[in-house]
Amino acid sequence: MDDDRRVTRRRVGDAEVRRANRGWWDTDADDYQAEHGAFLGDVDFVWCPEGLREADARLLGDVVGRRILEVGCGAAAAARWLATQGARPVAFDLSAGMLRHAAQAADRSGVRVPLVQADALALPFADESFDTACTAFGAIPFVDDSAALLAEVHRVLRPSGRWVFSVTHPMRWIFLDDPGEGGLRAVHSYFDRSPYVEQDESGVATYVEQHRTLGDRIRELVGAGFRLLDLVEPEWPEGHEGIWGQWSPLRGKLFPGTAIFVTEKPE
């Protein structure tokens, strides 16, 4: 454990996870947008720190006229971009702080989408009410029961609906959270599912991020009723010198930082 950052890996109960992550994103929303807002844009769909954009990747397929749910939307840049492409998006997030930034970005851009404050484990939407669902690093790593989240997304999707989400590549959990040379040495077991936890002086979690292996993710998807269509591992592009947390050109040229699961709900 790093005493300066009060970082550890330990099991955390569902209630503590919810309190920690809602509080974290509410408190950190301003700093997060100040640091990453320019990269993400007000009206853009960026899947990952590698810079892969939906405008180029087209992982969602044809979005025109589609009712699309952005899960864990943050400032909802992706939902606003989808609206400019002819889709009918709805964006939700647990954090009021992030939704405040979503509303401010709507004012700046003039592109408005419905914003909902909701828990990804209890979606306030009817069965089969969306054609497509997506998220770029939203919600999934921040809930204790990601299998239940996938089941909720499956519930609100119509048959043949596509569900695409990006998360930190599971192999990154082997390494320290360091964009430099220190992040090139394997120190953790890939098979240790203990969450990454930041906590205060009294040991109460203030931020929790969950780890699942690739196999875990696929089993959760299949268990929820989805069919896996593709697993995209974006390569670090030439000329991209940006650093985002533990993502960097140094690490990106050696091993993947993001996994994007492209799935669908069968007919």
Side-chain angles (χ1 to χ4, degrees):
M1 178 175 173
D2 184 329
D3 291 331
D4 292 331
R5 296 183 61 197
R6 296 186 294 276
V7 170
T8 188
R9 293 193 179 196
R10 64 174 174 85
R11 298 305 305 168
V12 185
D14 177 66
E16 189 176 4
V17 170
R18 291 174 190 243
R19 283 195 306 271
N21 285 337
R22 181 171 181 174
W24 172 272
W25 288 109
D26 282 347
T27 302
D28 192 60
D30 291 349
D31 289 341
Y32 181 88
Q33 285 302 118
E35 185 174 359
H36 303 300
F39 180 81
L40 295 172
D42 280 344
V43 185
D44 202 356
F45 195 146
V46 183
W47 279 109
C48 52
E50 289 87 350
L52 182 68
R53 284 172 160 73
E54 177 60 13
D56 301 314
R58 298 294 178 182
L59 301 180
L60 300 181
D62 183 12
V63 301
V64 176
R66 300 270 179 175
R67 184 168 164 80
I68 300 180
L69 180 65
E70 185 182 5
V71 175
C73 66
R80 286 189 295 276
W81 180 84
L82 288 165
T84 68
Q85 304 303 301
R88 297 182 295 128
V90 174
F92 84 86
D93 203 283
L94 182 65
S95 167
M98 295 305 294
L99 291 173
R100 173 169 49 83
H101 280 279
Q104 292 171 356
D107 290 340
R108 288 193 300 268
S109 66
V111 181
R112 302 184 183 281
V113 301
L115 300 174
V116 178
Q117 186 173 16
D119 188 327
L121 296 176
L123 297 178
F125 306 111
D127 294 358
E128 299 185 3
S129 53
F130 292 93
D131 301 299
T132 306
C134 60
T135 186
F137 283 79
I140 294 171
F142 306 111
V143 300
D144 181 59
D145 191 351
S146 50
L149 186 159
L150 297 181
E152 272 292 270
V153 174
H154 186 275
R155 179 183 66 79
V156 303
L157 269 184
R158 296 178 181 128
S160 76
R162 187 166 286 203
W163 163 228
V164 184
F165 63 91
S166 60
V167 291
T168 301
H169 198 290
M171 76 167 292
R172 283 288 175 109
W173 286 76
I174 300 170
F175 305 97
L176 294 175
D177 198 13
D178 182 344
E181 295 283 345
L184 301 181
R185 185 167 62 91
V187 296
H188 298 293
S189 168
Y190 176 74
F191 301 104
D192 180 3
R193 277 79 164 181
S194 300
Y196 168 93
V197 180
E198 295 181 13
Q199 56 193 27
D200 61 21
E201 293 90 341
S202 61
V204 175
T206 57
Y207 175 91
V208 182
E209 189 168 344
Q210 308 287 338
H211 169 49
R212 303 288 185 273
T213 68
L214 285 172
D216 292 339
R217 288 282 178 229
I218 292 170
R219 282 186 288 275
E220 287 182 347
L221 284 164
V222 172
F226 288 103
R227 178 166 55 222
L228 182 65
L229 302 178
D230 197 3
L231 173 58
V232 180
E233 299 165 295
E235 296 186 36
W236 195 268
E238 290 293 330
H240 179 20
E241 298 302 321
I243 293 177
W244 179 321
Q246 47 103 341
W247 281 266
S248 66
L250 175 66
R251 283 156 61 96
K253 291 174 182 176
L254 296 174
F255 46 83
T258 299
I260 308 176
F261 294 82
V262 183
T263 77
E264 69 176 4
K265 178 178 179 176
E267 289 282 356

